[in-house]
């Protein structure tokens, strides 16, 4: 995960939530050229200690913070080297195989979800109830859980009446 950050715009660390920085394997401050070069240098200097304070995502990996300019072509080789170093590090530790395996399972579930939603939304019985049920939820006449069960029952995936206490509608 390469986090590409922009220079300037005030305190760089205020604009990035800690959560996104924790995901980064490499941090690149972009547009390190022209009038923005000094701001990019300051931003990279600000990110450096912050990156080292975070718990490492991968054991024995220190998140590099680099400045680069696509316009001038500077720093690109260093960014690529950092990505290559990370890939080699992960392959050596076995983490790359684990990551790929986990991604494959995640992609499988994404595909299942996507196909289920397509099947659900394409069902004529669901389509016939959709607008009314959505309007009832928006207006507070129907709880989201009851609405979902109603639509699932219309699709043949659940018995809406059996799971709703008192048959709430």
């Amino acid at each position: 995960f390469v986090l590409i950050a922009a220079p300037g715009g005030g305190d760089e660390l205020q604009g990035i939530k800690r959560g996104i920085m924790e995901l980064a394997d490499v941090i690149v401050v972009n547009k390190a050229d022209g009038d923005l070069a000094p701001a990019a240098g300051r931003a990279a200097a600000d990110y450096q200690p912050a990156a080292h304070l975070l718990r490492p995502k991968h054991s024995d990996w220190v998140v590099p913070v680099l400045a680069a300019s696509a316009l001038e072509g500077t720093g690109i080789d260093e960014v690529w080297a950092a990505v290559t170093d990370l890939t080699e590090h992960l392959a050596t530790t076995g983490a790359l195989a684990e990551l790929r395996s986990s991604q494959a399972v995640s992609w499988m579930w994404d595909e299942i979800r996507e196909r289920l939603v397509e099947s659900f939304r394409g069902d004529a019985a669901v389509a016939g109830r959709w607008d009314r049920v959505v309007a009832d939820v928006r207006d507070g006449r129907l709880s989201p859980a009851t609405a979902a069960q109603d639509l699932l029952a219309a699709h043949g995936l659940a018995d809406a009446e059996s799971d709703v206490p008192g048959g709430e509608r």
Side-chain angles (χ1 to χ4, degrees):
F1 184 107
V2 177
L3 173 62
I4 301 175
D11 184 355
E12 301 304 323
L13 299 178
Q14 294 299 325
I16 299 294
K17 294 187 190 246
R18 181 179 165 168
I20 194 76
M21 285 189 65
E22 288 175 341
L23 295 175
D25 295 310
V26 177
I27 299 173
V28 179
V29 179
N30 193 22
K31 301 181 187 263
D33 52 55
D35 293 343
L36 291 175
R42 286 190 302 276
D46 288 343
Y47 282 120
Q48 192 73 40
H52 293 288
L53 289 175
L54 299 173
R55 185 167 31 115
K57 193 167 112 180
H58 307 292
S59 64
D60 298 326
W61 178 253
V62 177
V63 175
V65 178
L66 307 164
S69 166
L71 181 67
E72 294 179 353
T74 56
I76 305 301
D77 291 340
E78 290 81 2
V79 170
W80 184 248
V83 170
T84 302
D85 289 348
L86 173 63
T87 303
E88 290 172 4
H89 173 75
L90 294 176
T92 301
T93 64
L96 185 61
E98 289 177 31
L99 180 62
R100 293 292 181 239
S101 175
S102 176
Q103 286 173 331
V105 171
S106 179
W107 293 335
M108 176 192 71
W109 279 111
D110 288 346
E111 185 69 20
I112 289 170
R113 280 195 253 342
E114 186 176 317
R115 298 251 177 129
L116 285 172
V117 169
E118 286 174 12
S119 170
F120 182 78
R121 294 293 301 262
D123 185 309
V126 171
R129 300 176 87 122
W130 185 263
D131 290 338
R132 178 189 57 80
V133 170
V134 169
D136 286 349
V137 170
R138 282 190 179 134
D139 294 340
R141 291 187 298 269
L142 196 60
S143 74
T146 301
Q149 288 186 6
D150 183 43
L151 292 171
L152 288 167
H155 189 57
L157 292 176
D159 179 9
E161 294 299 327
S162 68
D163 293 335
V164 179
E168 175 201 346
R169 287 279 177 220

